[in-house]
Amino acid sequence: MYCPKCGKEIPDNSQFCLQCGGNLRAKQSVRVLAGVSAAAGVALLIVFALIVAIVIATYVRNESSKRDEDPSTPRRTFTQNNPVKQPEQVSVVDKTFPVAAQHYVYYTIPLKADVSHITGHFTAQGGSNDIEVLVLDQDGFTNFSNGHSAQRYYASDGYVTTGSIDLRLRPGTYYIVFNNARAMLTNKVVTAKIDAEF
């Protein structure tokens, strides 16, 4: 071993130079510390890499869980037994009501589905026990209200005591009309149950 200050050869593990008296311990500690700090740096780098990997894995797992819980996230399902959507049924009219002589009563049927199924049954009482029942669109109802001829999607073949309705209609606004215009003095009582199925 040589002294770093004067260059004189000195015994190994000497703490001071015998020639110049230079302190050799400080140099050795620096060398040892340099070795320790290099090892510590490598260890710190490995620990940092592990922490980053754990954080990324946790984030990915949380995002996957959120997607599984979110109902708006589209999912592909490959099942053969997908449930068939049951049609929705809405009551248009389900009651007993009077229709005065020389008047009519109507109910509005707003339809938004591509095709709607209108079904039901009606019965009239009073006088001759008869009523005229019509299903009209918006234009037809306006014409009918003003005493003009109108396109009819359903007509009860004149005045009848009872009848059934079964028709399919496109989207739009329709009217079911219970007409007692022919009766001069007799009011009618109608019992009707008419439903729309989308």
Side-chain angles (χ1 to χ4, degrees), residues 82-102:
N82 286 337
V84 176
K85 182 181 174 188
Q86 295 298 320
E88 181 182 342
Q89 192 169 23
V90 176
S91 178
V92 175
V93 58
D94 186 7
K95 63 181 179 177
T96 300
F97 53 92
V99 182
Q102 299 181 1

Side-chain angles (χ1 to χ4, degrees), residues 24-94:
L24 299 177
R25 261 189 320 190
K27 219 32 161 166
Q28 286 177 347
S29 334
V30 169
R31 239 181 278 142
V32 169
L33 284 177
V36 169
S37 64
V42 170
L44 281 174
L45 184 61
I46 291 171
V47 169
F48 180 73
L50 285 173
I51 291 172
V52 168
I54 291 170
V55 168
I56 289 173
T58 304
Y59 175 78
V60 168
R61 188 175 339 134
N62 286 343
E63 287 300 310
S64 177
S65 295
K66 284 181 190 175
R67 226 174 311 136
D68 291 343
E69 293 171 5
D70 185 5
S72 66
T73 302
R75 295 183 190 169
R76 289 185 177 185
T77 55
F78 298 99
T79 59
Q80 299 220 351
N81 296 329
N82 286 337
V84 176
K85 182 181 174 188
Q86 295 298 320
E88 181 182 342
Q89 192 169 23
V90 176
S91 178
V92 175
V93 58
D94 186 7

